[in-house]
Amino acid sequence: MASRALAHCMRSVARASARLNHGNMLTRSACAPLASNQRALSAVSRGQRTRWTDLVRISGPSVHLCRRYGDLPPLTLENIQDRVMYVLKLYDKISPDKLQTSSHFMKDLGLDSLDQVEIIMAMEDEFGFEIPDAEAEKLMTPEEIVKYIADKKDVYE
Amino acid sequence: MWCCCCGQFLQRQKVLGLYRDLLRNIRKIPQESDRRYLRDWAREEFKRNKSETDQDVVRMMVTQAQNHLEDLRKSLALAGC
């Protein structure tokens, strides 16, 4: 008894998804050049299956269905600087009011080399690439970090 | 930190390199709470001993840190991280 009810549900779900798929196929073809778009739509409006058009309402040439790809915004010098300063402000050993782009970690902010290692690791996490040891230990101010990252990521301005 | 005479300078570089390797491996740990715990532990250990001047003690601590790092690497490899 229960299995029959379940089978019935599955069938109706399959039917509904088939309807939606059909609708999706049409919306996909709606992405094609507008000339054929008009004809496809008119064919649909004339067509026999009117039920699923209630689900998928296409309103003529104002439809712009396009794919969107997720990606980070392009890097600019200003963007890099903002992110570097943001990460530094979040670091618990730095007081945000004393922080400037030219502040030296050891001389101005009173940090030690272990803190500097932590800061560079945080920058690696933020920007998503590894900074080799030899170059990491030379970066002593936010400005140097920004310059280094811009250099590595080929950001020119 | 350590003064800049040759042997101690190399020692300093080794310690910083160790700290960095440790942090890099801690990053691979899956659980955030475990990561935080180990990061705090590593920071605490290194900071506490940073003013040590006796070379033998420093060498012993460096060896200890290397062992910890090796253990961490092996555990991560076993866990498949």
Side-chain angles (χ1 to χ4, degrees):
Chain A
M1 176 71 176
S3 59
R4 213 187 306 158
L6 188 67
H8 178 75
C9 288
M10 291 304 291
R11 255 178 275 139
S12 58
V13 162
R15 237 181 286 134
S17 69
R19 259 182 270 143
L20 270 172
N21 277 334
H22 216 95
N24 279 340
M25 258 179 14
L26 200 74
T27 57
R28 250 181 276 153
S29 64
C31 284
L34 283 152
S36 59
N37 198 6
Q38 306 284 17
R39 237 188 295 148
L41 287 174
S42 56
V44 160
S45 60
R46 265 183 284 136
Q48 301 86 359
R49 290 199 216 165
T50 52
R51 254 196 297 172
W52 56 263
T53 53
D54 294 339
L55 296 170
V56 179
R57 227 173 266 280
I58 306 167
S59 52
S62 63
V63 168
H64 289 293
L65 294 160
C66 57
R67 289 203 191 146
R68 288 190 181 89
Y69 296 98
D71 196 9
L72 295 167
L75 283 177
T76 62
L77 268 180
E78 196 186 323
N79 179 256
I80 296 175
Q81 187 167 311
D82 287 339
R83 283 164 77 181
V84 167
M85 297 307 275
Y86 183 69
V87 170
L88 286 173
K89 286 195 180 116
L90 288 176
Y91 189 59
D92 56 352
K93 292 208 170 172
I94 296 181
S95 49
D97 31 321
K98 266 203 265 176
L99 182 67
Q100 291 170 357
T101 46
S102 57
S103 15
H104 195 274
F105 293 140
M106 303 208 185
K107 294 185 215 164
D108 299 330
L109 300 170
L111 301 171
D112 64 11
S113 46
L114 291 172
D115 298 322
Q116 196 260 355
V117 169
E118 286 175 29
I119 287 172
I120 301 298
M121 299 285 293
M123 294 300 159
E124 285 182 1
D125 286 331
E126 170 68 23
F127 290 96
F129 69 100
E130 266 202 17
I131 302 177
D133 296 8
E135 298 173 19
E137 60 188 19
K138 295 185 204 146
L139 303 171
M140 284 294 167
T141 69
E143 202 174 324
E144 283 176 18
I145 297 176
V146 172
K147 220 181 289 176
Y148 178 81
I149 293 172
D151 183 48
K152 282 289 161 179
K153 291 280 178 177
D154 293 325
V155 177
Y156 307 107
E157 253 174 46
Chain B
M1 288 200 72
W2 295 279
C3 72
C4 279
C5 61
C6 197
Q8 283 180 326
F9 179 74
L10 291 173
Q11 192 77 281
R12 182 175 178 273
Q13 296 298 87
K14 194 190 277 186
V15 172
L16 290 176
L18 258 174
Y19 190 54
R20 198 176 277 118
D21 283 338
L22 210 46
L23 288 180
R24 278 205 220 276
N25 278 284
I26 289 174
R27 236 191 227 157
K28 298 183 201 163
I29 294 172
Q31 289 272 18
E32 173 60 34
S33 51
D34 294 339
R35 274 202 297 268
R36 214 176 309 143
Y37 178 79
L38 280 173
R39 263 202 295 260
D40 291 341
W41 164 83
R43 198 186 201 183
E44 193 51 49
E45 286 291 311
F46 276 79
K47 294 265 176 181
R48 188 155 32 96
N49 299 308
K50 84 175 184 187
S51 48
E52 183 65 58
T53 45
D54 187 341
Q55 283 306 298
D56 290 329
V57 178
V58 172
R59 263 196 292 264
M60 182 194 77
M61 290 194 283
V62 165
T63 310
Q64 265 179 355
Q66 277 166 337
N67 290 338
H68 284 304
L69 180 60
E70 206 42 51
D71 288 339
L72 181 58
R73 274 209 192 110
K74 286 197 187 128
S75 309
L76 283 169
L78 276 172
C81 302

